[in-house]
């Protein structure tokens, strides 16, 4: 019998130590990080530091230049499609948390396909399938069947669902799903334990291993993220950098993205534990762009129109548009039970127009299934 392959696991340095490392950075460290062509984790720590705040315009200018050189003057556009609001987990910050008394809904395959048709008619070619984590209601068979139904209508299909096994990700890739987003929510283990009270998601280490699992299964793109407002955002940024650097070594063929969800109002009474301002969010985004020029950076409709428009060209590479966070909400505008409230309510045409107005091209299709190798 062949022994199972032992894969290396990601070991994150202590979160408090990351925070201390960042705060030890001085202005000279920031200037030295800015001057470099290739930046390491020490540079990232400097760029995330309070000392870097005074140089924020310079960070923005360099981030814009690096982004333009690597990606051109384009912003990709996508829409989320919420499939189910059922969830087995108790995450204190989330509207879908099992304790919240909201109307719950699981779309049938026909209903999900009908919602997707609406998005296709609106012009979207990239969709993100989203659901709470309730595998008994929505499992791999469902996602595989849905992908088969949608693959001819969309150039790219991504998922943000419960963590899966490597062979399950491989099945979904073969069915036409090419990207997986799985956010750690917070890299601070102590706070992670405080806000994830029950369900499989309460296992910090298990969650940390999912991105590499999806990459090993052959996914073309893997997305990371921290939910901003739970813990020290600077240390979350450095932890993301550590995770990214490790993943780049393990899965060099996989494209990596980072999302920047800031806590938004949701069902339940959870209030952000730390304030993360737009200025903070900008610094985090610029620092990660300068650390890893190849990184896809996603700014969703959680953020407001004014802020999203102002960030065009400075670092982000992908925006959502026309989003609804209620299952069935595209066809039924009365549907209730959203995961969180959104900040930018514009449709695809309006977001695309704003991108064009800032001298960039909105891109609906950046992938074609004919490129997909099995
Ligand atoms: S964050 Fe995800 S896993 Fe947690 S309650 Fe919400 S949908 Fe469920």
């Amino acid at each position: 019998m062949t022994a199972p392959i032992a894969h290396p696991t990601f070991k994150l340095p202590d979160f408090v130590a990351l925070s201390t490392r960042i705060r030890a950075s001085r202005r000279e460290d920031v200037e030295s990080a800015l001057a470099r062509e290739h930046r390491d984790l020490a540079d990232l720590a400097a760029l995330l530091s309070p000392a870097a705040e005074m140089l924020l315009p310079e960070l923005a200018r360099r981030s814009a230049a690096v982004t333009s050189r690597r990606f051109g003057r384009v912003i990709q556009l996508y829409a989320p499609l919420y499939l189910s609001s059922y969830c087995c987990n108790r995450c204190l910050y989330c509207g879908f948390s099992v304790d919240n008394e909201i109307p719950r809904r699981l779309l049938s395959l026909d209903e999900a396909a009908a919602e997707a048709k609406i998005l296709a008619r609106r012009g979207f070619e990239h969709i993100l399938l989203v659901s709470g984590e309730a595998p008994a209601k929505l499992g791999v068979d469902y996602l595989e069947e849905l992908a088969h139904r949608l693959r001819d209508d969309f150039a790219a299909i991504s998922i943000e669902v419960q963590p899966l096994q490597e062979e399950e990700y491989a099945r979904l890739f073969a069915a036409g799903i090419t990207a997986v987003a799985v956010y750690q929510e917070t890299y601070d283990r102590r706070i992670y334990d405080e806000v994830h009270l029950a369900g499989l998601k309460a296992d910090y280490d298990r969650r940390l291993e999912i991105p590499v699992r999806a990459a090993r299964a052959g996914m073309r793109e893997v997305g990371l993220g921290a939910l901003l407002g739970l813990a020290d955002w600077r240390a979350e940024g450095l932890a993301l950098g550590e995770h990214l650097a490790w993943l780049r070594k393990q899965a060099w063929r996989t494209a990596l993205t980072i999302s920047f969800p800031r806590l938004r109002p949701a069902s339940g009474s959870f209030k952000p534990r730390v304030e993360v301002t737009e200025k903070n969010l900008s610094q985090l985004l610029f620092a990660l762009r300068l650390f890893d020029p190849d990184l896809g950076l996603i700014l969703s409709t959680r953020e407001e129109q004014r802020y999203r428009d102002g960030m065009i060209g400075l670092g982000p590479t992908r925006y959502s548009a026309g989003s609804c966070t209620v299952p069935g909400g595209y066809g039924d505008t009365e549907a209730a039970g959203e995961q969180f409230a959104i900040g930018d309510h514009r449709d695809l045409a309006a977001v695309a127009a704003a991108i064009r107005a800032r001298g960039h091209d909105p891109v609906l299709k950046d992938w074609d299934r004919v490129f997909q190798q099995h």
Side-chain angles (χ1 to χ4, degrees):
M1 201 169 79
T2 334
I5 302 165
H7 290 301
T9 53
F10 173 56
K11 296 270 183 286
L12 180 69
D14 176 65
F15 195 81
V16 176
L18 293 180
S19 191
T20 308
R21 203 157 109 205
I22 292 166
R23 284 174 170 75
S25 299
R26 297 152 307 161
R27 185 182 171 110
E28 307 87 87
D29 302 316
V30 182
E31 286 169 343
S32 145
L34 282 170
R36 282 174 199 264
E37 181 92 4
H38 302 290
R39 300 176 182 91
D40 59 17
L41 286 159
D43 297 319
L44 177 60
L47 295 170
L48 289 165
S49 70
E53 281 176 18
M54 282 175 294
L55 295 165
L56 198 57
E58 185 58 15
L59 264 70
R61 200 179 65 72
R62 304 261 182 148
S63 171
V66 168
T67 306
S68 166
R69 204 159 54 231
R70 168 63 183 79
F71 292 93
R73 296 174 71 79
V74 299
I75 299 276
Q76 300 162 6
L77 290 165
Y78 74 99
L81 197 176
Y82 277 70
L83 302 171
S84 167
S85 47
Y86 286 95
C87 191
C88 304
N89 294 316
R90 271 175 80 199
C91 307
L92 284 183
Y93 49 79
C94 178
F96 288 174
S97 186
V98 66
D99 291 339
N100 288 341
E101 291 186 10
I102 57 163
R104 306 260 174 189
R105 184 168 176 194
L106 164 68
L107 300 187
S108 67
L109 284 166
D110 286 345
E111 288 170 334
E115 285 278 287
K117 281 272 180 225
I118 293 171
L119 292 172
R121 278 201 298 274
R122 289 180 187 174
F124 287 102
E125 299 214 33
H126 178 181
I127 52 170
L128 170 66
L129 305 178
V130 185
S131 82
E133 301 190 6
K137 289 192 179 289
L138 191 157
V140 180
D141 293 345
Y142 176 110
L143 293 166
E144 187 178 42
E145 172 61 25
L146 184 59
H148 280 300
R149 291 199 194 188
L150 303 186
R151 59 190 292 170
D152 291 335
D153 285 338
F154 293 94
I157 306 172
S158 311
I159 53 171
E160 188 183 329
V161 300
Q162 68 271 19
L164 301 173
Q165 299 300 323
E166 192 170 322
E167 53 278 16
E168 293 174 322
Y169 285 127
R171 259 176 74 190
L172 295 183
F173 183 73
I177 290 170
T178 54
V180 172
V182 56
Y183 308 143
Q184 188 64 23
E185 315 295 12
T186 175
Y187 287 86
D188 183 329
R189 191 181 287 271
R190 185 180 55 83
I191 292 179
Y192 190 96
D193 291 345
E194 284 175 19
V195 296
H196 297 104
L197 299 184
L200 283 174
K201 193 167 174 180
D203 185 339
Y204 177 102
D205 292 312
R206 175 180 180 272
R207 188 138 189 115
L208 207 55
E209 284 305 308
I210 307 302
V212 76
R213 193 187 289 175
R216 282 192 195 116
M219 283 291 164
R220 175 182 157 252
E221 181 184 292
V222 171
L224 309 179
L227 184 58
L228 303 174
L230 293 179
D232 175 9
W233 64 268
R234 299 177 200 275
E236 299 283 22
L238 190 50
L240 280 165
E242 295 264 3
H243 204 174
L244 277 170
W246 184 81
L247 276 169
R248 288 251 180 255
K249 285 192 196 131
Q250 305 300 316
W252 56 272
R253 289 166 185 250
T254 309
L256 298 175
T257 63
I258 289 195
S259 294
F260 299 89
R262 274 200 306 165
L263 270 168
R264 299 281 311 164
S267 258
S269 55
F270 189 81
K271 297 278 175 299
R273 292 174 161 237
V274 296
E275 190 189 11
V276 182
T277 64
E278 288 178 353
K279 188 176 165 196
N280 300 150
L281 173 56
S282 305
Q283 185 180 349
L284 174 60
L285 193 147
F286 299 150
L288 284 162
R289 160 60 67 235
L290 293 171
F291 172 64
D292 188 336
D294 294 330
L295 201 53
L297 298 178
I298 302 170
L299 210 50
S300 79
T301 51
R302 280 178 183 259
E303 296 302 329
E304 288 175 11
Q305 166 178 344
R306 172 192 45 74
Y307 180 69
R308 295 214 306 162
D309 285 358
M311 290 297 282
I312 292 169
L314 298 184
T317 52
R318 190 178 299 167
Y319 276 13
S320 51
S323 303
C324 173
T325 69
V326 186
Y330 292 117
D332 173 8
T333 48
E334 302 292 306
E338 63 184 3
Q339 189 186 30
F340 57 85
I342 61 174
D344 182 348
H345 296 268
R346 289 173 297 173
D347 63 12
L348 175 61
V351 175
I355 292 169
R356 278 194 211 93
R358 281 157 184 79
H360 281 60
D361 288 325
V363 172
L364 291 161
K365 179 175 179 178
D366 76 322
W367 172 251
D368 195 297
R369 204 155 28 83
V370 298
F371 304 145
Q372 188 167 338
Q373 313 236 323
H374 297 288

